[in-house]
Amino acid sequence: MSDFISSRRQRVAASLPLDDALLVVGAGRPVPLPENSDQTYPFQSNAEYFYLTELECIDGIVAYDPRDGEWLSFVPAVTEAERVWEGSVQLPGLPLADFVPWLAARAGRPVAQLGAPRPDIQIDAALNARMRDHFHHARRPKDDHELELLRAACSATSSGYAKLPQLIRPDVSERAIQIELEAEFFRAGGTRPGYSTIVGTGSNSAVLHFSPSARRTRSGDFVLVDAGAAIGRYTADVTRTYVVDQPDPFQRDLYQIVLHAQERAISRCIAGAEWTHLHLACAVEMVAGLVAMGVMRGSPTSLVEQEAHTLFFPHGIGHMVGLGVRDGSGLFPGRTKNPRPSLRTLRMDLPLEPGYVVTIEPGLYFIPPLLQDPVRRATYHDCVNWSLIDSYLHLGGVRIEDNILVTTGAPENLTAEIPKSL
Ligand code: GLY
Ligand code: MN
């Protein structure tokens, strides 16, 4: 077993308040396609299992008994059909059939079940939730092996984005942009896109997770691209926004507000910084920019206290990234969701620590379903220049996103080489 796997297991065992409970972590099974064919969605082991094994192993189990301090990995025997159809080979580990007697020998003890659930184990939801919080927390700081993969993923992502400036011109489809970007990810060593690539042009750039369509760019469109290459299960998550031909002054101002706020937020990614504070500081800065542009009215701090920023910045400032596009996001163990509406929806609430990798991705958008909502219009009647908004309702939006490594000193931007000037 690799050194990094055994140190991860040691760290997890030391961090989980198991007392006398067993820990069982399942890899899961592939999900069949709905049409009941013999095909499945592509299989990946559950991330919690993968972290402890680095195996893609259908039905695999890794188990730990704190009484004997031993981790065991149970894997199924590869079948002839799997060898013939998939080219599968036998993975290392104990036979899966040995798991049932292992568990039976410990009957009566509580079981914390992480990863994919197993039908033969009764779930203790409260125990599982508590252990999952601690497990997430233990794996938040990236080890050297993870950072190596993440850096490679960021580098392949950077190669993809390097193709875009020459491609972004009038009459190019969102699909064409996706194809060129993803092709370059693969050429640069990416194993797959880390999540569904987002390409939104014109008003589509204000749809937060827009799926690329056949729409073709027009001069003056915003083009928002949010994509990342994955290598060995580790993904980058990067967003850049472009303008086809020249931005007009309004677009330029909007872009500069987001860029400035993003760079300030990156500089605040230091050990001990509270995520919610980062988010709110960024919101106040962007609202100050919107006030200066004449889009909003009032004191930036007071506007954010009233949650008026959510009209234009309706999502959180980012999340953890690495082993999957959300990785170990969530709450610091023991915390509960912040009751404030604009903080309750954040993907995390925790202080940053060295080794964490987070996205910083502020955005400002003109989103018709939010800006045309009569309740919001009434609530924020005096906070917004609504007649100006109406003239920009279909402008789209700007998001800028980098992946930041928190260190013991200054933050390191892992995706800094992807240009951000308009
Ligand atoms: N990259 C998409 C997201 O973070 O939601
Ligand atoms: Mn993201």
Side-chain angles (χ1 to χ4, degrees):
M1 193 200 333
S2 333
D3 288 350
F4 64 83
I5 297 280
S6 54
S7 34
R8 283 178 199 174
R9 290 181 180 182
Q10 275 170 26
R11 188 163 73 241
V12 168
S15 312
L16 263 53
L18 282 168
D19 300 325
D20 198 37
L22 307 168
L23 176 67
V24 173
V25 186
R29 296 192 60 72
V31 177
L33 292 180
E35 56 269 29
N36 198 20
S37 68
D38 59 351
Q39 303 239 297
T40 67
Y41 289 101
F43 175 76
Q44 292 192 324
S45 294
N46 184 289
E48 292 169 348
Y49 172 87
F50 187 86
Y51 182 77
L52 294 167
T53 61
E54 292 245 326
L55 295 179
E56 299 295 2
C57 177
I58 293 169
D59 281 337
I61 298 175
V62 63
Y64 175 72
D65 182 347
R67 278 195 199 167
D68 49 41
E70 194 178 23
W71 288 88
L72 297 175
S73 176
F74 300 92
V75 299
V78 68
T79 63
E80 183 184 270
E82 286 164 344
R83 289 187 202 276
V84 170
W85 287 89
E86 325 289 343
S88 306
V89 294
Q90 182 60 51
L91 293 172
L94 298 168
L96 187 58
D98 291 1
F99 173 69
V100 173
W102 180 88
L103 194 60
R106 291 159 178 80
R109 300 203 12 222
V111 183
Q113 195 189 177
L114 300 186
R118 283 190 55 90
D120 53 351
I121 300 178
Q122 212 176 348
I123 290 189
D124 178 338
L127 177 67
N128 281 358
R130 205 156 60 87
M131 293 307 143
R132 177 161 281 126
D133 274 0
H134 285 274
F135 187 29
H136 270 192
H137 193 62
R139 68 185 186 88
R140 280 181 179 136
K142 299 279 171 291
D143 61 34
D144 288 346
H145 180 74
E146 294 184 288
L147 282 177
E148 198 180 310
L149 291 169
L150 249 174
R151 286 182 197 282
C154 289
S155 167
T157 302
S158 173
S159 300
Y161 273 93
K163 291 281 169 192
L164 294 190
Q166 71 224 47
L167 192 65
I168 290 177
R169 55 181 190 273
D171 203 29
V172 179
S173 73
E174 291 163 351
R175 180 73 72 214
I177 294 170
Q178 175 197 14
I179 290 168
E180 295 308 318
L181 182 70
E182 292 185 1
E184 197 58 30
F185 287 171
F186 284 115
R187 281 187 206 107
T191 42
R192 61 187 174 84
Y195 53 93
S196 299
T197 293
I198 296 165
V199 180
T201 61
S203 58
N204 295 341
S205 59
V207 180
L208 302 178
H209 281 173
F210 192 78
S211 211
S213 75
R215 185 186 185 277
R216 304 182 88 81
T217 51
R218 295 180 205 137
S219 186
D221 276 351
F222 274 134
V223 177
L224 186 151
V225 180
D226 180 343
I231 294 189
R233 293 285 302 262
Y234 282 77
T235 189
D237 177 2
V238 172
T239 307
R240 292 292 182 263
T241 306
Y242 309 84
V243 174
V244 182
D245 296 332
Q246 288 305 309
D248 68 22
F250 191 87
Q251 287 174 312
R252 191 177 289 284
D253 287 350
L254 201 65
Y255 188 90
Q256 290 306 330
I257 291 170
V258 177
L259 179 59
H260 183 66
Q262 198 241 7
E263 289 183 338
R264 297 260 303 177
I266 290 173
S267 72
R268 293 190 186 111
C269 289
I270 55 174
E274 281 289 341
W275 192 248
T276 49
H277 296 176
L278 247 81
H279 174 79
L280 290 174
C282 184
V284 169
E285 281 166 12
M286 291 203 293
V287 165
L290 292 176
V291 169
M293 282 179 77
V295 172
M296 297 188 86
R297 296 176 170 140
S299 128
T301 314
S302 157
L303 287 165
V304 170
E305 278 164 6
Q306 296 169 66
E307 317 277 30
H309 61 288
T310 60
L311 291 167
F312 303 98
F313 176 36
H315 59 74
I317 192 171
H319 51 85
M320 306 194 90
V321 66
L323 178 47
V325 72
R326 299 280 180 255
D327 206 358
S329 304
L331 305 176
F332 188 78
R335 285 192 188 174
T336 51
K337 284 260 180 203
N338 192 306
R340 190 172 158 179
S342 68
L343 297 182
R344 197 171 49 223
T345 54
L346 295 194
R347 298 199 192 277
M348 35 197 241
D349 181 355
L350 43 73
L352 296 178
E353 290 181 22
Y356 288 14
V357 179
V358 294
T359 69
I360 291 291
E361 50 177 312
L364 289 174
Y365 317 83
F366 288 75
I367 304 177
L370 299 183
L371 297 176
Q372 289 180 310
D373 168 34
V375 176
R376 287 182 174 84
R377 287 215 172 204
T379 308
Y380 298 116
H381 180 265
D382 298 330
C383 303
V384 171
N385 180 346
W386 288 105
S387 57
L388 183 66
I389 294 303
D390 284 337
S391 62
Y392 284 109
L393 214 47
H394 303 291
L395 180 72
V398 176
R399 178 164 69 249
I400 306 173
E401 174 176 29
D402 283 300
N403 300 166
I404 311 302
L405 171 63
V406 181
T407 73
T408 51
E412 183 187 350
N413 185 347
L414 302 177
T415 48
E417 71 180 61
I418 306 176
K420 287 195 268 194
S421 58
L422 248 200

